[in-house]
């Protein structure tokens, strides 16, 4: 469904991504992992069309995205849930959802909008009784659910999900990833998830890419990454001698090992 080839991207004169190549097949959930500042958000923005691309190709469902603005990419079936949720706080939950259905033609709107809201809310039961509440009064977890639900209102084929666990309690993180798994399984939506929480991302993703300093330094099936000694030591806090603090690990050791 999605092929990213030798991508170089960033912001004006600042190059963030360097020669990044990855792919997402139809129905897959792919994790993009790495520390803060690795380039995960920039990768999703480049695919969505909201940052500068200096080289490489992005192809979605056989169509090159070169030069296509963000709204045309969205019309093709790419939805983007940005880091920090970005819901409209002064609008109600229902109004936020309706904003996500902009792709519906005018004739379809009156006939299908309520049906579409009901379809989306079925996957987010926490939001069902909050439809008339302003988004500003929702908890962080509920706002994250609303952001994903709003993206689902456009009936996407690929959903770009940026740091869904950010600032949330572990129980809510589990609930959100369970919803992602259900949407992937039942609605056949493909997911590209950028996430610092490597442990939970590798539990729900089928394949993972690890970014550091704008470059992919490792990739593989999620099960293989979970079993990899470097990943266990540097991202899961585990080593052959037991649990280890990330502060005890020298950055140059990780780079030297992975890029050797």
């Amino acid at each position: 469904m999605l092929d990213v080839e030798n991508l170089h991207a960033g912001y004006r004169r600042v190059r963030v991504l360097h020669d990044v190549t990855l792919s997402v097949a139809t129905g897959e959930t792919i994790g993009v992992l790495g520390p803060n500042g690795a380039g995960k958000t920039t990768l999703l923005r480049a695919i969505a069309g909201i940052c500068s691309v200096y080289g490489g190709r992005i192809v979605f469902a056989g169509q090159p995205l070169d030069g296509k603005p963000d709204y045309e990419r969205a019309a093709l079936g790419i939805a983007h849930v940005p880091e920090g949720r970005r819901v409209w706080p002064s609008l109600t939950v229902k109004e936020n959802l309706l904003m996500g259905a902009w792709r519906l033609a005018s004739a379809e709107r009156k006939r299908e909008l309520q049906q579409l809201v009901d379809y989306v809310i079925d996957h987010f039961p926490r939001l069902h009784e909050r439809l008339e509440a302003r988004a500003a009064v929702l908890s962080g977890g509920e706002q994250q659910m609303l952001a994903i639900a709003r993206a689902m209102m456009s009936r996407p084929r690929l959903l770009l999900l940026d740091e869904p666990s950010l600032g949330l309690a572990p129980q809510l993180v589990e609930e959100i990833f369970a919803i992602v798994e259900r949407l992937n399984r039942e609605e056949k939506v493909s997911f590209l998830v950028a996430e610092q929480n490597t442990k939970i991302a590798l539990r729900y993703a089928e394949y993972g890419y690890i970014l550091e300093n704008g470059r992919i330094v490792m990739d593989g099936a999620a099960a293989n990454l979970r079993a990899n000694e470097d990943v266990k030591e540097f991202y899961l806090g585990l080593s052959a001698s037991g649990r280890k603090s990330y502060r005890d690990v020298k950055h140059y050791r990780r780079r030297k090992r992975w890029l050797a």
Side-chain angles (χ1 to χ4, degrees):
M1 176 173 288
L2 176 74
D3 285 300
V4 177
E5 302 172 1
N6 309 117
L7 181 67
H8 296 259
Y11 309 93
R12 296 188 179 181
R13 296 182 180 180
V14 179
R15 304 288 179 101
V16 177
L17 299 179
H18 311 279
D19 201 30
V20 170
T21 295
L22 61 79
S23 62
V24 181
T26 301
E28 273 191 327
T29 296
I30 302 296
V32 179
L33 316 170
N36 190 37
K40 304 184 299 297
T41 291
T42 301
L43 173 60
L44 299 194
R45 287 177 175 176
I47 296 168
I50 54 176
C51 76
S52 300
V53 172
Y54 305 111
R57 298 180 72 227
I58 303 174
V59 180
F60 177 70
Q63 296 192 47
L65 299 183
D66 306 345
K68 289 188 183 295
D70 51 358
Y71 58 87
E72 288 188 14
R73 300 183 191 206
L76 290 174
I78 299 175
H80 181 212
V81 178
E83 180 181 355
R85 302 178 274 278
R86 306 285 181 88
V87 296
W88 284 285
S90 62
L91 300 184
T92 67
V93 168
K94 186 172 183 179
E95 288 168 341
N96 268 274
L97 292 176
L98 296 180
M99 291 293 289
W102 64 273
R103 289 178 58 197
L104 286 179
S106 299
E108 296 177 308
R109 282 183 178 273
K110 293 181 180 179
R111 184 174 67 250
E112 294 190 21
L113 270 181
Q114 188 56 51
Q115 181 181 348
L116 189 54
V117 169
D118 293 340
Y119 149 78
V120 169
I121 285 296
D122 182 57
H123 293 283
F124 300 88
R126 276 178 178 252
L127 299 180
H128 188 271
E129 54 194 42
R130 310 296 303 273
L131 283 175
E132 300 306 322
R134 289 192 303 114
V137 304
L138 301 183
S139 69
E142 289 170 337
Q143 287 185 356
Q144 185 65 71
M145 293 177 191
L146 176 57
I148 299 173
R150 181 181 60 193
M152 287 299 299
M153 288 288 290
S154 67
R155 292 183 172 173
R157 300 160 68 186
L158 172 67
L159 203 154
L160 310 173
L161 187 53
D162 196 356
E163 300 284 6
S165 73
L166 186 66
L168 301 183
Q171 183 178 356
L172 282 172
V173 173
E174 292 283 355
E175 188 173 344
I176 285 169
F177 271 89
I179 291 171
V180 168
E181 182 183 43
R182 181 183 173 192
L183 291 170
N184 173 252
R185 182 181 67 250
E186 297 182 4
E187 307 301 333
K188 310 304 180 187
V189 178
S190 300
F191 283 85
L192 184 60
V193 183
E195 182 57 77
Q196 288 190 58
N197 188 334
T198 304
K199 184 176 181 180
I200 193 165
L202 289 180
R203 189 168 1 128
Y204 284 94
E206 299 156 61
Y207 198 92
Y209 295 85
I210 296 179
L211 269 176
E212 274 204 6
N213 294 333
R215 300 179 187 276
I216 291 177
V217 295
M218 183 179 291
D219 67 280
N224 294 340
L225 291 178
R226 286 196 302 269
N228 183 278
E229 291 301 324
D230 285 336
V231 174
K232 287 198 289 186
E233 181 174 356
F234 301 127
Y235 282 96
L236 302 180
L238 301 171
S239 68
S241 59
R243 188 166 296 278
K244 193 168 187 176
S245 169
Y246 185 85
R247 291 176 297 180
D248 298 331
V249 179
K250 299 286 189 183
H251 180 74
Y252 73 85
R253 284 180 55 206
R254 179 167 69 255
R255 296 289 295 172
K256 185 176 179 180
R257 256 192 212 175
W258 288 4
L259 299 180

